[in-house]
Amino acid sequence: LGEVSIFETLTDDELKSIIERSQLLSYKKDDVVLFESELGNALYIILDGFVKISRTNEDYKEVILAILAERDFFGEMSVLDGAVRSADAIAISKVHALKIAAEDFLDLLEKNPKISLALLREMVSRLRKTDHQIKSISLSDAIGKVASVILRLANDVGRQRRGRVEIDNFASQQEMANYAATSRETISRVLSMFERDGLIERDMNKIIITDFEAFKQKFS
Ligand code: CMP
């Protein structure tokens, strides 16, 4: 828990008291952790696994806003403003999470200004990513859209090793399409093209960016 960015400044005793007051939950792939438009009174911290944050548009199409991983939190928006949940949060792998009641979290924020600052930093970072996503969604070319979603996944959940970045393929091609606001066929076509050009390699359940810096320069 001490490795969660917003809790980095807490002492061991403070961390212990959070753990004592929180609930440990387990989810299977495809379980819904929270529903858009429901009232919410807790914040969640992912201990392991991946969670997608998504909304459904008026054509019942899924729009993915973010994919969160170990040590990320979600559910803070309703806790902070008392409004309904802004999106669904759905497990896309097995997930273990800690659930912290709103009043406990708000109490922590009041007592630890550093947590508030870390929380603001993380929310700013999400806003920047979302701004970037809006730009890439409005791109008309498919290659740019698919490259943006690969870059975002690399930043959020990729593992860097010697200039390469490995992205576990927990997200299906349909989910990647819903992230990039394009079709599954486009994802499939552009991934094959990137593979042919040596920009990525594919290994059954992984996408590997062969030269992350070069990929970034080419597409951001
Ligand atoms: P809340 O609105 O309580 O419930 C849904 C959660 O999804 C929300 O809090 C945030 O934690 C998370 N969320 C909503 N929009 C985004 C986004 N654009 N990027 C990352 N996380 C988000």
Side-chain angles (χ1 to χ4, degrees):
L1 198 60
E3 288 173 19
V4 174
S5 62
I6 49 172
F7 293 146
E8 263 165 8
T9 55
L10 295 185
T11 63
D12 284 350
D13 280 350
E14 287 167 323
L15 289 171
K16 225 172 103 193
S17 100
I18 297 181
I19 291 170
E20 278 165 7
R21 283 196 284 175
S22 60
Q23 218 180 327
L24 176 64
L25 299 169
S26 304
Y27 299 94
K28 301 186 299 297
K29 179 173 158 49
D30 298 328
D31 281 352
V32 180
V33 182
L34 50 88
F35 283 100
E36 179 182 345
S37 303
E38 276 189 356
L39 280 171
N41 52 9
L43 167 125
Y44 296 76
I45 293 171
I46 303 172
L47 299 179
D48 62 64
F50 298 102
V51 170
K52 74 177 170 190
I53 303 293
S54 63
R55 299 186 67 148
T56 308
N57 73 11
E58 60 275 22
D59 305 327
Y60 299 101
K61 251 194 97 188
E62 176 185 59
V63 179
I64 297 185
L65 301 172
I67 291 182
L68 304 177
E70 191 175 304
R71 299 202 282 261
D72 284 330
F73 59 83
F74 58 92
E76 79 293 349
M77 290 170 60
S78 293
V79 165
L80 290 171
D81 70 3
V84 294
R85 297 295 190 191
S86 59
D88 293 329
I90 299 170
I92 53 173
S93 66
K94 261 196 202 166
V95 169
H96 289 104
L98 273 186
K99 179 178 179 184
I100 303 178
E103 52 175 32
D104 288 339
F105 185 66
L106 293 173
D107 197 40
L108 269 174
L109 285 185
E110 258 175 49
K111 291 187 183 134
N112 298 277
K114 283 188 177 156
I115 300 186
S116 305
L117 205 57
L119 180 69
L120 277 174
R121 270 200 202 102
E122 176 57 30
M123 293 183 79
V124 167
S125 152
R126 290 181 184 181
L127 185 56
R128 280 185 192 278
K129 288 178 182 167
T130 301
D131 288 353
H132 201 83
Q133 192 179 3
I134 289 172
K135 185 176 139 197
S136 80
I137 283 174
S138 62
L139 288 177
S140 53
D141 86 295
I143 295 176
K145 282 185 180 178
V146 181
S148 290
V149 84
I150 292 181
L151 276 173
R152 173 116 192 237
L153 286 171
N155 277 322
D156 285 354
V157 297
R159 279 187 312 272
Q160 284 219 37
R161 207 187 304 150
R162 281 182 261 121
R164 293 158 66 87
V165 173
E166 287 188 14
I167 304 165
D168 281 333
N169 193 13
F170 48 81
S172 65
Q173 287 195 358
Q174 184 59 57
E175 280 168 330
M176 286 181 73
N178 296 348
Y179 211 177
T182 183
S183 65
R184 200 196 60 74
E185 291 72 20
T186 300
I187 294 282
S188 168
R189 181 168 54 82
V190 177
L191 285 180
S192 298
M193 207 177 84
F194 284 171
E195 193 175 11
R196 201 187 53 221
D197 293 346
L199 294 169
I200 63 166
E201 286 167 15
R202 280 191 284 178
D203 173 10
M204 236 167 41
N205 48 6
K206 271 186 216 145
I207 292 176
I208 300 147
I209 306 176
T210 49
D211 182 342
F212 187 48
E213 280 310 311
F215 194 92
K216 256 199 314 209
Q217 274 196 351
K218 196 170 161 82
F219 293 112
S220 39

Short mmCIF file of all heavy atoms in Angstrom, two decimals, residues 100-144:
data_model
loop_
_atom_site.label_atom_id
_atom_site.label_comp_id
_atom_site.label_asym_id
_atom_site.label_seq_id
_atom_site.Cartn_x
_atom_site.Cartn_y
_atom_site.Cartn_z
N ILE A 100 -11.89 1.43 0.35
CA ILE A 100 -11.79 2.33 1.51
C ILE A 100 -13.04 3.20 1.54
O ILE A 100 -13.39 3.85 0.54
CB ILE A 100 -10.53 3.24 1.38
CG1 ILE A 100 -9.27 2.37 1.26
CG2 ILE A 100 -10.42 4.18 2.57
CD1 ILE A 100 -8.00 3.16 1.08
N ALA A 101 -13.71 3.22 2.69
CA ALA A 101 -14.96 3.99 2.79
C ALA A 101 -14.67 5.47 2.60
O ALA A 101 -13.62 5.98 3.01
CB ALA A 101 -15.59 3.74 4.15
N ALA A 102 -15.66 6.17 2.00
CA ALA A 102 -15.49 7.60 1.69
C ALA A 102 -15.08 8.39 2.94
O ALA A 102 -14.16 9.19 2.90
CB ALA A 102 -16.78 8.14 1.11
N GLU A 103 -15.77 8.14 4.04
CA GLU A 103 -15.47 8.98 5.21
C GLU A 103 -14.06 8.74 5.74
O GLU A 103 -13.39 9.66 6.18
CB GLU A 103 -16.52 8.81 6.32
CG GLU A 103 -16.76 7.37 6.70
CD GLU A 103 -17.72 7.24 7.88
OE1 GLU A 103 -18.61 8.10 7.98
OE2 GLU A 103 -17.56 6.29 8.67
N ASP A 104 -13.58 7.50 5.62
CA ASP A 104 -12.19 7.23 6.04
C ASP A 104 -11.21 7.94 5.12
O ASP A 104 -10.20 8.49 5.57
CB ASP A 104 -11.89 5.71 6.01
CG ASP A 104 -12.59 4.99 7.15
OD1 ASP A 104 -12.96 5.66 8.13
OD2 ASP A 104 -12.79 3.76 7.04
N PHE A 105 -11.50 7.92 3.82
CA PHE A 105 -10.59 8.55 2.87
C PHE A 105 -10.59 10.07 3.05
O PHE A 105 -9.54 10.71 3.08
CB PHE A 105 -10.97 8.17 1.43
CG PHE A 105 -10.00 8.69 0.42
CD1 PHE A 105 -8.69 8.21 0.38
CD2 PHE A 105 -10.36 9.68 -0.48
CE1 PHE A 105 -7.77 8.71 -0.56
CE2 PHE A 105 -9.45 10.18 -1.41
CZ PHE A 105 -8.16 9.68 -1.44
N LEU A 106 -11.79 10.65 3.23
CA LEU A 106 -11.87 12.10 3.41
C LEU A 106 -11.17 12.53 4.69
O LEU A 106 -10.49 13.58 4.75
CB LEU A 106 -13.34 12.56 3.41
CG LEU A 106 -14.04 12.37 2.05
CD1 LEU A 106 -15.53 12.66 2.15
CD2 LEU A 106 -13.41 13.25 0.97
N ASP A 107 -11.28 11.69 5.70
CA ASP A 107 -10.60 11.94 6.97
C ASP A 107 -9.08 11.98 6.77
O ASP A 107 -8.38 12.86 7.26
CB ASP A 107 -10.99 10.77 7.90
CG ASP A 107 -10.72 11.09 9.33
OD1 ASP A 107 -10.99 12.25 9.72
OD2 ASP A 107 -10.22 10.19 10.05
N LEU A 108 -8.59 11.01 5.98
CA LEU A 108 -7.15 10.95 5.67
C LEU A 108 -6.69 12.21 4.94
O LEU A 108 -5.64 12.77 5.22
CB LEU A 108 -6.87 9.78 4.73
CG LEU A 108 -6.54 8.43 5.30
CD1 LEU A 108 -6.45 7.42 4.17
CD2 LEU A 108 -5.21 8.50 6.05
N LEU A 109 -7.51 12.65 3.97
CA LEU A 109 -7.16 13.84 3.19
C LEU A 109 -7.04 15.07 4.08
O LEU A 109 -6.14 15.88 3.94
CB LEU A 109 -8.23 14.13 2.12
CG LEU A 109 -8.27 13.23 0.90
CD1 LEU A 109 -9.30 13.74 -0.09
CD2 LEU A 109 -6.91 13.18 0.21
N GLU A 110 -7.98 15.17 5.05
CA GLU A 110 -7.95 16.33 5.94
C GLU A 110 -6.70 16.34 6.80
O GLU A 110 -6.12 17.37 7.06
CB GLU A 110 -9.19 16.31 6.82
CG GLU A 110 -10.22 17.30 6.34
CD GLU A 110 -11.49 17.22 7.13
OE1 GLU A 110 -11.43 17.24 8.38
OE2 GLU A 110 -12.55 17.10 6.49
N LYS A 111 -6.30 15.14 7.21
CA LYS A 111 -5.16 15.07 8.13
C LYS A 111 -3.82 15.09 7.42
O LYS A 111 -2.80 15.37 8.05
CB LYS A 111 -5.26 13.80 8.98
CG LYS A 111 -6.41 13.86 9.95
CD LYS A 111 -6.39 12.67 10.88
CE LYS A 111 -7.61 12.71 11.79
NZ LYS A 111 -8.27 11.42 11.90
N ASN A 112 -3.79 14.74 6.12
CA ASN A 112 -2.51 14.65 5.40
C ASN A 112 -2.53 15.46 4.11
O ASN A 112 -2.86 14.93 3.05
CB ASN A 112 -2.21 13.19 5.03
CG ASN A 112 -2.07 12.30 6.24
OD1 ASN A 112 -1.03 12.24 6.86
ND2 ASN A 112 -3.17 11.65 6.58
N PRO A 113 -2.14 16.73 4.20
CA PRO A 113 -2.17 17.56 2.99
C PRO A 113 -1.36 16.94 1.85
O PRO A 113 -1.69 17.14 0.68
CB PRO A 113 -1.53 18.88 3.42
CG PRO A 113 -1.39 18.82 4.89
CD PRO A 113 -1.66 17.44 5.37
N LYS A 114 -0.34 16.16 2.19
CA LYS A 114 0.48 15.58 1.11
C LYS A 114 -0.32 14.58 0.28
O LYS A 114 -0.04 14.40 -0.90
CB LYS A 114 1.71 14.90 1.69
CG LYS A 114 2.76 15.91 2.08
CD LYS A 114 4.04 15.23 2.47
CE LYS A 114 5.11 16.27 2.77
NZ LYS A 114 6.14 15.75 3.65
N ILE A 115 -1.28 13.90 0.89
CA ILE A 115 -2.12 12.97 0.12
C ILE A 115 -2.95 13.77 -0.88
O ILE A 115 -3.09 13.39 -2.04
CB ILE A 115 -3.06 12.14 1.03
CG1 ILE A 115 -2.24 11.31 2.01
CG2 ILE A 115 -3.95 11.23 0.19
CD1 ILE A 115 -3.09 10.37 2.82
N SER A 116 -3.47 14.93 -0.43
CA SER A 116 -4.29 15.75 -1.34
C SER A 116 -3.46 16.17 -2.54
O SER A 116 -3.94 16.14 -3.68
CB SER A 116 -4.80 17.00 -0.65
OG SER A 116 -5.49 16.64 0.51
N LEU A 117 -2.20 16.55 -2.28
CA LEU A 117 -1.34 17.00 -3.37
C LEU A 117 -1.06 15.85 -4.34
O LEU A 117 -1.13 16.03 -5.56
CB LEU A 117 -0.02 17.52 -2.77
CG LEU A 117 0.71 18.54 -3.59
CD1 LEU A 117 -0.16 19.74 -3.89
CD2 LEU A 117 1.98 18.99 -2.85
N ALA A 118 -0.78 14.68 -3.80
CA ALA A 118 -0.48 13.52 -4.66
C ALA A 118 -1.73 13.14 -5.46
O ALA A 118 -1.64 12.77 -6.63
CB ALA A 118 -0.01 12.35 -3.81
N LEU A 119 -2.90 13.25 -4.82
CA LEU A 119 -4.16 12.95 -5.50
C LEU A 119 -4.38 13.93 -6.66
O LEU A 119 -4.72 13.53 -7.77
CB LEU A 119 -5.30 13.05 -4.49
CG LEU A 119 -6.70 12.76 -4.99
CD1 LEU A 119 -6.85 11.29 -5.35
CD2 LEU A 119 -7.75 13.13 -3.94
N LEU A 120 -4.13 15.22 -6.38
CA LEU A 120 -4.28 16.22 -7.44
C LEU A 120 -3.34 15.92 -8.60
O LEU A 120 -3.73 16.01 -9.76
CB LEU A 120 -3.96 17.61 -6.89
CG LEU A 120 -5.10 18.31 -6.18
CD1 LEU A 120 -4.62 19.61 -5.56
CD2 LEU A 120 -6.22 18.59 -7.16
N ARG A 121 -2.10 15.56 -8.28
CA ARG A 121 -1.13 15.26 -9.35
C ARG A 121 -1.62 14.13 -10.22
O ARG A 121 -1.55 14.20 -11.44
CB ARG A 121 0.22 14.85 -8.74
CG ARG A 121 1.07 16.00 -8.53
CD ARG A 121 2.55 15.63 -8.39
NE ARG A 121 3.14 16.72 -7.70
CZ ARG A 121 3.45 16.73 -6.42
NH1 ARG A 121 3.32 15.65 -5.69
NH2 ARG A 121 3.92 17.82 -5.86
N GLU A 122 -2.14 13.08 -9.59
CA GLU A 122 -2.62 11.94 -10.36
C GLU A 122 -3.83 12.34 -11.21
O GLU A 122 -3.95 11.94 -12.36
CB GLU A 122 -2.95 10.77 -9.41
CG GLU A 122 -3.57 9.55 -10.07
CD GLU A 122 -2.71 8.94 -11.20
OE1 GLU A 122 -1.47 9.04 -11.13
OE2 GLU A 122 -3.31 8.36 -12.13
N MET A 123 -4.71 13.18 -10.63
CA MET A 123 -5.89 13.58 -11.41
C MET A 123 -5.49 14.48 -12.59
O MET A 123 -6.08 14.40 -13.66
CB MET A 123 -6.93 14.24 -10.49
CG MET A 123 -7.49 13.21 -9.51
SD MET A 123 -8.80 13.83 -8.43
CE MET A 123 -10.20 13.78 -9.55
N VAL A 124 -4.46 15.30 -12.39
CA VAL A 124 -3.96 16.13 -13.49
C VAL A 124 -3.39 15.22 -14.58
O VAL A 124 -3.63 15.43 -15.78
CB VAL A 124 -2.89 17.12 -12.99
CG1 VAL A 124 -2.15 17.75 -14.16
CG2 VAL A 124 -3.54 18.19 -12.13
N SER A 125 -2.66 14.20 -14.16
CA SER A 125 -2.07 13.30 -15.15
C SER A 125 -3.17 12.60 -15.96
O SER A 125 -3.06 12.45 -17.18
CB SER A 125 -1.17 12.31 -14.40
OG SER A 125 -1.08 11.12 -15.09
N ARG A 126 -4.28 12.22 -15.28
CA ARG A 126 -5.39 11.59 -16.01
C ARG A 126 -6.05 12.57 -16.96
O ARG A 126 -6.43 12.20 -18.07
CB ARG A 126 -6.43 11.04 -15.01
CG ARG A 126 -5.89 9.85 -14.28
CD ARG A 126 -6.90 9.26 -13.31
NE ARG A 126 -6.28 8.18 -12.57
CZ ARG A 126 -6.89 7.45 -11.66
NH1 ARG A 126 -8.16 7.67 -11.38
NH2 ARG A 126 -6.25 6.48 -11.04
N LEU A 127 -6.16 13.83 -16.53
CA LEU A 127 -6.76 14.83 -17.41
C LEU A 127 -5.88 15.04 -18.65
O LEU A 127 -6.39 15.14 -19.77
CB LEU A 127 -6.93 16.15 -16.64
CG LEU A 127 -7.65 17.29 -17.36
CD1 LEU A 127 -9.03 16.85 -17.82
CD2 LEU A 127 -7.77 18.51 -16.45
N ARG A 128 -4.58 15.06 -18.45
CA ARG A 128 -3.67 15.21 -19.60
C ARG A 128 -3.85 14.05 -20.58
O ARG A 128 -3.91 14.24 -21.79
CB ARG A 128 -2.21 15.22 -19.14
CG ARG A 128 -1.75 16.52 -18.59
CD ARG A 128 -0.25 16.44 -18.29
NE ARG A 128 0.18 17.57 -17.50
CZ ARG A 128 0.48 18.76 -18.02
NH1 ARG A 128 0.41 18.95 -19.32
NH2 ARG A 128 0.85 19.75 -17.24
N LYS A 129 -3.92 12.82 -20.03
CA LYS A 129 -4.08 11.65 -20.90
C LYS A 129 -5.41 11.72 -21.64
O LYS A 129 -5.49 11.39 -22.82
CB LYS A 129 -4.02 10.36 -20.09
CG LYS A 129 -2.63 10.04 -19.59
CD LYS A 129 -2.64 8.79 -18.76
CE LYS A 129 -1.27 8.49 -18.21
NZ LYS A 129 -1.32 7.46 -17.16
N THR A 130 -6.45 12.14 -20.92
CA THR A 130 -7.77 12.22 -21.56
C THR A 130 -7.76 13.29 -22.66
O THR A 130 -8.32 13.09 -23.74
CB THR A 130 -8.86 12.48 -20.50
OG1 THR A 130 -8.80 11.41 -19.57
CG2 THR A 130 -10.24 12.53 -21.10
N ASP A 131 -7.10 14.42 -22.40
CA ASP A 131 -6.99 15.47 -23.43
C ASP A 131 -6.29 14.90 -24.66
O ASP A 131 -6.68 15.16 -25.80
CB ASP A 131 -6.18 16.66 -22.91
CG ASP A 131 -6.95 17.47 -21.88
OD1 ASP A 131 -8.14 17.19 -21.68
OD2 ASP A 131 -6.35 18.39 -21.29
N HIS A 132 -5.25 14.12 -24.41
CA HIS A 132 -4.50 13.52 -25.50
C HIS A 132 -5.38 12.56 -26.29
O HIS A 132 -5.36 12.52 -27.52
CB HIS A 132 -3.30 12.78 -24.91
CG HIS A 132 -2.21 12.56 -25.89
ND1 HIS A 132 -1.27 13.52 -26.17
CD2 HIS A 132 -1.92 11.52 -26.68
CE1 HIS A 132 -0.46 13.05 -27.08
NE2 HIS A 132 -0.83 11.84 -27.41
N GLN A 133 -6.19 11.80 -25.52
CA GLN A 133 -7.08 10.82 -26.16
C GLN A 133 -8.11 11.53 -27.05
O GLN A 133 -8.41 11.06 -28.15
CB GLN A 133 -7.78 9.99 -25.08
CG GLN A 133 -8.49 8.77 -25.62
CD GLN A 133 -9.16 7.96 -24.51
OE1 GLN A 133 -9.13 8.34 -23.34
NE2 GLN A 133 -9.77 6.85 -24.86
N ILE A 134 -8.61 12.67 -26.57
CA ILE A 134 -9.60 13.42 -27.37
C ILE A 134 -8.95 13.81 -28.70
O ILE A 134 -9.54 13.68 -29.77
CB ILE A 134 -10.09 14.67 -26.62
CG1 ILE A 134 -10.97 14.25 -25.46
CG2 ILE A 134 -10.85 15.62 -27.56
CD1 ILE A 134 -11.36 15.36 -24.54
N LYS A 135 -7.70 14.26 -28.61
CA LYS A 135 -7.01 14.66 -29.84
C LYS A 135 -6.86 13.46 -30.78
O LYS A 135 -7.15 13.55 -31.96
CB LYS A 135 -5.64 15.25 -29.49
CG LYS A 135 -4.93 15.80 -30.70
CD LYS A 135 -3.63 16.45 -30.31
CE LYS A 135 -2.56 16.09 -31.31
NZ LYS A 135 -1.23 16.34 -30.84
N SER A 136 -6.46 12.32 -30.20
CA SER A 136 -6.21 11.19 -31.10
C SER A 136 -7.50 10.62 -31.67
O SER A 136 -7.53 10.15 -32.79
CB SER A 136 -5.37 10.11 -30.39
OG SER A 136 -6.19 9.34 -29.59
N ILE A 137 -8.61 10.72 -30.89
CA ILE A 137 -9.89 10.24 -31.41
C ILE A 137 -10.32 11.09 -32.60
O ILE A 137 -10.91 10.60 -33.56
CB ILE A 137 -10.96 10.26 -30.29
CG1 ILE A 137 -10.74 9.07 -29.37
CG2 ILE A 137 -12.38 10.25 -30.86
CD1 ILE A 137 -11.62 9.05 -28.16
N SER A 138 -9.98 12.39 -32.54
CA SER A 138 -10.43 13.24 -33.64
C SER A 138 -9.51 13.13 -34.87
O SER A 138 -9.80 13.70 -35.91
CB SER A 138 -10.55 14.69 -33.17
OG SER A 138 -9.29 15.14 -32.76
N LEU A 139 -8.41 12.40 -34.72
CA LEU A 139 -7.58 12.17 -35.90
C LEU A 139 -8.38 11.34 -36.89
O LEU A 139 -9.07 10.41 -36.50
CB LEU A 139 -6.35 11.32 -35.54
CG LEU A 139 -5.23 11.94 -34.73
CD1 LEU A 139 -4.18 10.88 -34.45
CD2 LEU A 139 -4.62 13.09 -35.51
N SER A 140 -8.27 11.68 -38.16
CA SER A 140 -9.07 10.88 -39.08
C SER A 140 -8.31 9.62 -39.49
O SER A 140 -8.90 8.64 -39.89
CB SER A 140 -9.48 11.70 -40.28
OG SER A 140 -8.31 12.26 -40.82
N ASP A 141 -6.96 9.62 -39.33
CA ASP A 141 -6.28 8.46 -39.88
C ASP A 141 -6.16 7.32 -38.87
O ASP A 141 -5.92 7.53 -37.67
CB ASP A 141 -4.92 8.86 -40.49
CG ASP A 141 -3.83 8.88 -39.46
OD1 ASP A 141 -3.92 9.73 -38.56
OD2 ASP A 141 -2.93 8.06 -39.55
N ALA A 142 -6.39 6.14 -39.37
CA ALA A 142 -6.43 4.94 -38.53
C ALA A 142 -5.08 4.66 -37.88
O ALA A 142 -5.01 4.27 -36.73
CB ALA A 142 -6.86 3.76 -39.39
N ILE A 143 -4.01 4.91 -38.63
CA ILE A 143 -2.69 4.59 -38.10
C ILE A 143 -2.40 5.42 -36.85
O ILE A 143 -1.94 4.91 -35.83
CB ILE A 143 -1.62 4.86 -39.19
CG1 ILE A 143 -1.86 3.89 -40.35
CG2 ILE A 143 -0.20 4.71 -38.64
CD1 ILE A 143 -0.96 4.10 -41.53
N GLY A 144 -2.74 6.71 -36.92
CA GLY A 144 -2.53 7.60 -35.77
C GLY A 144 -3.33 7.14 -34.56
O GLY A 144 -2.84 7.13 -33.43
#
